Amino acid sequence: MRLLRGHLPSAVRDALTIERGERVLASAPTRGGSHVVATTAALHVPAPSGGFTRVPWERVDQATWKDGWLHVEETSGGAEHHVRLTEPGSVPETVRERVTATIAVTHQARLPGGGKVRIAGRRPAAGGDVRWTFVFDAGLDPDDPGLRAQAEQVLEDLRRQTGL
């Protein structure tokens, strides 16, 4: 069910920055008096300083719904968002559907130096080239140049195999 932007409270509507062509799909009030808003292109979560943090769907590494809380972890920088929804409505289902729709390929590989990396190829909601991300096992330094080179080689092999 599509919720039109006009159905959002005026304070939420005024604070929300929606790009051209982006449509609101679902929203839910939060315990803090704001809203979580799911659009065709991104998830908008309340920012600590007021307003919203816009998280494009292809940057959501994982999202879970448990005990009234929406937990979202981003791929870039590992930012996390934890929001208590008072009336979730269709937000959890919309988040799951939108995140899943961006995944072109996901692959987990053991690295020659030890440990694993998960490589995900995601398509932006607006279309365009696949964007690749690495998620390394806990304890591995994602800034280690040798480790990154190993992961890049795995990615190169994966791209050759998938044609992406």
Side-chain angles (χ1 to χ4, degrees):
M1 181 173 130
R2 188 175 135 196
L3 177 66
L4 298 176
R5 189 173 173 185
H7 291 102
L8 293 171
S10 61
V12 172
R13 195 173 50 249
D14 293 344
L16 195 61
T17 303
I18 293 190
E19 295 179 355
R20 183 177 179 87
E22 188 174 0
R23 292 178 297 114
V24 173
L25 300 173
S27 71
T30 67
R31 187 171 198 161
S34 187
H35 276 67
V36 166
V37 180
T39 70
T40 52
L43 181 65
H44 301 261
V45 294
S49 59
F52 289 91
T53 298
R54 183 178 193 279
V55 184
W57 295 118
E58 69 273 12
R59 281 196 6 223
V60 176
D61 182 44
Q62 60 183 354
T64 57
W65 170 251
K66 185 176 179 183
D67 299 328
W69 286 86
L70 178 64
H71 304 278
V72 178
E73 187 176 327
E74 292 186 47
T75 56
S76 344
E80 294 183 14
H81 310 278
H82 307 281
V83 186
R84 175 108 170 133
L85 303 181
T86 59
E87 297 173 36
S90 63
V91 167
E93 294 84 5
T94 302
V95 169
R96 180 177 34 252
E97 184 274 326
R98 285 287 153 178
V99 171
T100 301
T102 68
I103 299 171
V105 66
T106 184
H107 176 74
Q108 186 164 356
R110 183 165 300 283
L111 297 170
K116 296 179 190 166
V117 63
R118 183 169 43 90
I119 300 172
R122 314 275 296 271
R123 292 193 198 286
D129 293 336
V130 171
R131 296 181 184 167
W132 297 94
T133 58
F134 299 124
V135 179
F136 293 95
D137 274 353
L140 297 179
D141 179 5
D143 295 323
D144 177 328
L147 193 61
R148 298 258 339 152
Q150 291 175 16
E152 291 284 348
Q153 183 58 55
V154 172
L155 172 58
E156 197 53 43
D157 294 343
L158 182 61
R159 290 180 79 173
R160 245 190 317 278
Q161 291 171 11
T162 62
L164 296 174

